[in-house]
Structure formats: structure tokens, C-alpha cells
Amino acid sequence: MLARKSIIPEEYVLARIAAENLRKPRIRDRLPKARFIAKSGACNLAHKNIREQGRFLQDIFTTLVDLKWRHTLVIFTMSFLCSWLLFAIMWWLVAFAHGDIYAYMEKSGLEKSALESTVCVTNVRSFTSAFLFSIEVQVTIGFGGRMMTEECPLAITVLILQNIVGLIINAVMLGCIFMKTAQAHRRAETLIFSRHAVIAVRNGKLCFMFRVGDLRKSMIISASVRIQVVKKTTTPEGEVVPIHQLDIPVDNPIESNNIFLVAPLIISHVIDKRSPLYDISATDLDSQDLEVIVILEGVVETTGITTQARTSYIAEEIQWGHRFVSIVTEEEGVYSVDYSKFGNTVKVAAPRCSARELDEKPSILIQTLQKSELSHQNSLRKRNSMRRNNSMRRNNSIRRNNSSLMVPKVQFMTLEGNQNTLES
């Protein structure tokens, strides 16, 4: 059958489809920028083509600690099972070489009880009994059904060897599990950083600021903060350095550069001539391919283990002209911290130029502050006028309601009054 011809002309349909395609904006998926340190503190780095894999076995303890929990538990279980099976084979070979297995197979009844003084290990008749005896020796259970005699010096040697190997396995595996449960990065889970960093004016200078806090009551002793800027640079010789690290100083009035992290603190970096952010303005910030890495180090008060918490801020996560809101208040003689506002910021007046231009032209800061003061006064005037208008409207509405509720006056006429008026 032939297809039925459409009622709408084909030229109109094609023109309509072309017009719809032109109207639709073409949005290209923007690839996220690669960052050296993730927000959680993990290093975003993949190691490939490592040929010398044997170096990891030279430090087997660190390798076991760095493994995932499922791999560690599998190795923990297999190490004990393999050692039990290995020594079970050795005990079976000792019994087989001494002839104990054939002796138990040939004799029965009262004759088996007479063999207890001539065999190496009593009641080891098969591989299963040898495996059970191996577990009893290494775990020191001692059910009493199987035990050694003085007939075989070789069996005594195997017993000493198994005890030594069992102690080594216990020490290594238990130490590995203890170190995994008490790792330093576990404590870093309760050390938090603000989601965004801000750039604003503090004490007459542009500053890069972020907030850090500790959720636990146990403190971090000798806590210190380091800031590094990672960016791609090119040397005068043409060499491209993909990860160029630059240390930037922290504005800390304490000479020891330590912080007392009893409450959330705002860490500040003054953008001066030594700072890599000295030539960056607000318009240039979005196009910059840089990453600011923050490292917090300290000693855990309860365990004495050194811990380290990390995070990073890329250009999209730095807010220009913002300031963190206050979250510490005093309530009934106790300082209270509201962590629901930990990362909240507010807009403040800040020059959009770079710190270099601000140093060369200090009048820019004065003009910016004057404009912000004028805008603030205008906003206050608008608020006051709005409040006055609202109050006047409320008063008018109250007057209208009162006038509607007033009782009207009624005059009553009597008959005597009517007669008097008629006579007059």
C-alpha cells in the first residue's frame, strides 16, 4: 500500500524544524577542571606503569596497612588457614614417617592404649586429626585428646617452629588491624573546611580567607595551617611545569604559627607582593587555572598521633567580595557555635581590581568604601520609608475598623413632645 500523503505541505514542515533548531541554544558540556587535591582531602593522582612492583613487598607492613579492608581481612584469614594447613601436613608427615598411622590402623581396642607411649603424637590417625592438632598447638586450645610424647625429637622441633610462626603472624596481623583502625586520617574526618573561600578587604588590604573547624571536643595540639598554590607555569627556557607549588604565608599574629582550634577560625592570607594572587583581579579570577591547597596538621590529644587534613579551592570556589558570617555567640556564660552557618557568606564592599592596582592607587579603596556607605545609607532610607508607609497603612486600617464598629446615635420621639409642638 502507498503511504497516505500528509495534509501539511512538506516545505512548511522542513522550515518549522529548521526554525526550532535555530532557537534552541547549543550548550556544550564543560569539562570539570582537574584538581590536585579533592574536597575530601584525597590526592587526585593515578600512578601508572610502575615496573618495580617488588618495592612494595620490601615494606610489607605499610603495604598491608594501605590496603582496603576487604583485602586485609582476606589476607588475615588466609594467613592463619595457610599456616594451619602447612603445619598439619608436617604433623601428618611426622606421624607417617614414624609409623603411627599404620600402628593405629592395625591395632584396636586395648592395644591402642598401649601405643600412647610409643607414638609421636597421640590420636593422630589421619590428616583431619593432624589438622585439628595443628590448630590446637597454634591457638593453644588444648582439648586434651591429642598430645605429644618424648619419642620424637623432630616433633618437638616442629612444635617450637609452629609456636614461633604463630606468634609472628599474630603480631603482624593484629598490629596491622590496629594501625588501620587508628589511622590519622580517621581523625581528620571531623576537621572541616568551608565549601568556598572568599576574597575581601580586611584591615585595609585584600585578603584570601577560608574557615576551618573541629567537630570534636578533644583538641588538636600544636595545630598549624599551610597554604600552597598549585598552577601550571612555563619557565623562561620554555619548560612546562604542570604542577608548580608555591608556598604563601598565613596572616597569624602568633610567632609560632600555631592556632588554638577550640572554635571555628577564619584563616587569612594577605595578598601582597609575595603572594601569587597579587596580579589577579575579580575579572581575571574565573579564567585562572590555579588551585589553592590548604593543609592542617596537628597532634591528636587522645592518641598522640599526628594527623593531617587537606582540602583545596579552585577558581570557581573563590567568592570575590564576600565575608563569612559570625557563628560564635555567647549564651548564658557559654560560647555557642552554630555549625549550620559554617559556610555562609554575605556580600561586602570590595574593589574589583587586583592587589597590585590597589597598592598603586589607594584611592580605589576609599572610593569603594564611600560607594558602599552611600548605598548602605540609601538602603536604610528605603527601609525607613517602607516602615513608615507600612505603619501609616496600619494606622489607617485600624481607624477604619474602629469607625465601622462605632454604634450609631438613635433619637426617640414621644407623643407629649408632639402635642406640645402642635399647641404652640
Side-chain angles (χ1 to χ4, degrees):
M1 295 178 65
L2 296 175
R4 189 167 59 181
K5 192 173 182 180
S6 177
I7 300 174
I8 302 174
E10 186 177 357
E11 293 81 3
Y12 176 78
V13 175
L14 294 176
R16 182 70 179 274
I17 294 172
E20 289 180 356
N21 290 331
L22 289 174
R23 291 173 186 173
K24 293 181 180 179
R26 296 182 180 179
I27 301 174
R28 296 181 180 179
D29 295 334
R30 186 178 179 181
L31 296 176
K33 290 184 178 180
R35 57 196 311 159
F36 191 58
I37 299 294
K39 297 298 289 184
S40 61
C43 295
N44 189 20
L45 189 66
H47 298 276
K48 296 182 179 180
N49 300 325
I50 300 177
R51 298 179 180 179
E52 298 180 0
Q53 298 288 343
R55 291 180 177 271
F56 295 99
L57 297 178
Q58 294 178 2
D59 189 8
I60 187 65
F61 186 78
T62 305
T63 303
L64 291 174
V65 173
D66 290 339
L67 290 176
K68 295 182 179 180
W69 268 107
R70 56 177 178 267
H71 298 155
T72 303
L73 293 177
V74 169
I75 294 173
F76 181 83
T77 305
M78 293 304 298
S79 61
F80 282 104
L81 287 176
C82 292
S83 63
W84 294 340
L85 287 172
L86 176 62
F87 284 100
I89 294 172
M90 296 178 67
W91 287 117
W92 185 84
L93 290 175
V94 169
F96 180 79
H98 194 262
D100 298 344
I101 295 176
Y102 291 106
Y104 277 107
M105 291 174 62
E106 292 175 356
K107 297 182 181 181
S108 60
L110 297 174
E111 296 179 354
K112 288 184 179 181
S113 61
L115 292 174
E116 292 182 356
S117 59
T118 59
V119 297
C120 293
V121 181
T122 59
N123 295 325
V124 176
R125 302 183 180 88
S126 61
F127 181 77
T128 304
S129 59
F131 180 73
L132 293 174
F133 181 72
S134 175
I135 296 174
E136 293 176 11
V137 170
Q138 188 164 337
V139 188
T140 64
I141 295 176
F143 291 112
R146 282 169 286 271
M147 56 184 169
M148 287 185 56
T149 62
E150 302 175 355
E151 294 294 326
C152 300
L154 180 61
I156 298 173
T157 306
V158 174
L159 177 65
I160 295 172
L161 182 62
Q162 186 173 4
N163 286 329
I164 295 173
V165 172
L167 289 174
I168 293 173
I169 293 175
N170 289 334
V172 172
M173 298 311 300
L174 293 177
C176 176
I177 292 178
F178 173 76
M179 290 300 297
K180 284 186 71 66
T181 54
Q183 277 184 334
H185 66 84
R186 303 294 181 187
R187 179 62 177 87
E189 296 294 333
T190 52
L191 297 173
I192 57 175
F193 299 88
S194 58
R195 184 72 180 176
H196 296 87
V198 298
I199 293 178
V201 177
R202 174 182 275 191
N203 298 326
K205 296 181 180 179
L206 277 178
C207 296
F208 173 86
M209 294 173 286
F210 60 92
R211 179 173 276 168
V212 60
D214 188 5
L215 299 178
R216 291 186 181 272
K217 290 185 178 181
S218 60
M219 296 180 56
I220 300 295
I221 304 172
S222 301
S224 61
V225 178
R226 292 188 293 114
I227 306 176
Q228 290 184 347
V229 173
V230 177
K231 58 189 300 186
K232 184 178 180 181
T233 58
T234 303
T235 61
E237 293 79 15
E239 180 185 0
V240 178
V241 182
I243 304 175
H244 183 58
Q245 301 181 18
L246 297 172
D247 287 332
I248 58 178
V250 178
D251 184 18
N252 193 355
I254 304 175
E255 295 181 357
S256 61
N257 202 23
N258 293 334
I259 59 175
F260 187 53
L261 196 60
V262 67
L265 299 177
I266 297 176
I267 308 300
S268 174
H269 158 65
V270 179
I271 304 177
D272 52 8
K273 295 180 180 180
R274 300 174 297 171
S275 175
L277 309 175
Y278 189 62
D279 296 323
I280 298 176
S281 62
T283 56
D284 299 335
L285 183 61
D286 295 333
S287 61
Q288 291 292 322
D289 187 12
L290 59 86
E291 180 180 357
V292 182
I293 298 175
V294 179
I295 303 171
L296 172 63
E297 292 180 340
V299 179
V300 182
E301 184 181 16
T302 54
T303 60
I305 300 174
T306 303
T307 186
Q308 185 182 91
R310 300 179 295 267
T311 191
S312 67
Y313 301 98
I314 56 178
E316 288 82 0
E317 296 170 350
I318 301 174
Q319 297 178 346
W320 195 289
H322 283 70
R323 182 184 298 165
F324 290 104
V325 298
S326 178
I327 61 175
V328 180
T329 57
E330 186 177 355
E331 298 177 357
E332 298 179 357
V334 178
Y335 288 99
S336 177
V337 181
D338 186 6
Y339 281 98
S340 63
K341 302 177 182 179
F342 183 81
N344 294 357
T345 60
V346 292
K347 287 186 177 181
V348 293
R352 308 289 293 178
C353 62
S354 63
R356 179 185 291 275
E357 296 176 1
L358 190 62
D359 290 343
E360 294 175 354
K361 299 178 181 179
S363 59
I364 298 175
L365 179 59
I366 299 173
Q367 294 175 1
T368 304
L369 295 177
Q370 289 177 352
K371 289 180 181 178
S372 65
E373 185 67 22
L374 291 174
S375 63
H376 182 65
Q377 290 178 0
N378 293 330
S379 64
L380 289 176
R381 291 173 183 173
K382 289 181 181 179
R383 289 179 183 177
N384 293 329
S385 63
M386 290 176 65
R387 288 176 182 175
R388 290 174 184 174
N389 295 330
N390 292 331
S391 62
M392 292 176 64
R393 290 174 183 174
R394 289 177 184 175
N395 294 330
N396 293 330
S397 63
I398 291 170
R399 290 175 182 175
R400 290 175 184 175
N401 293 330
N402 293 332
S403 62
S404 63
L405 293 174
M406 290 177 66
V407 179
K409 295 181 180 179
V410 180
Q411 295 180 357
F412 296 94
M413 302 293 292
T414 59
L415 294 174
E416 295 178 353
N418 292 332
Q419 292 177 359
N420 295 328
T421 56
L422 291 174
E423 289 179 354
S424 60

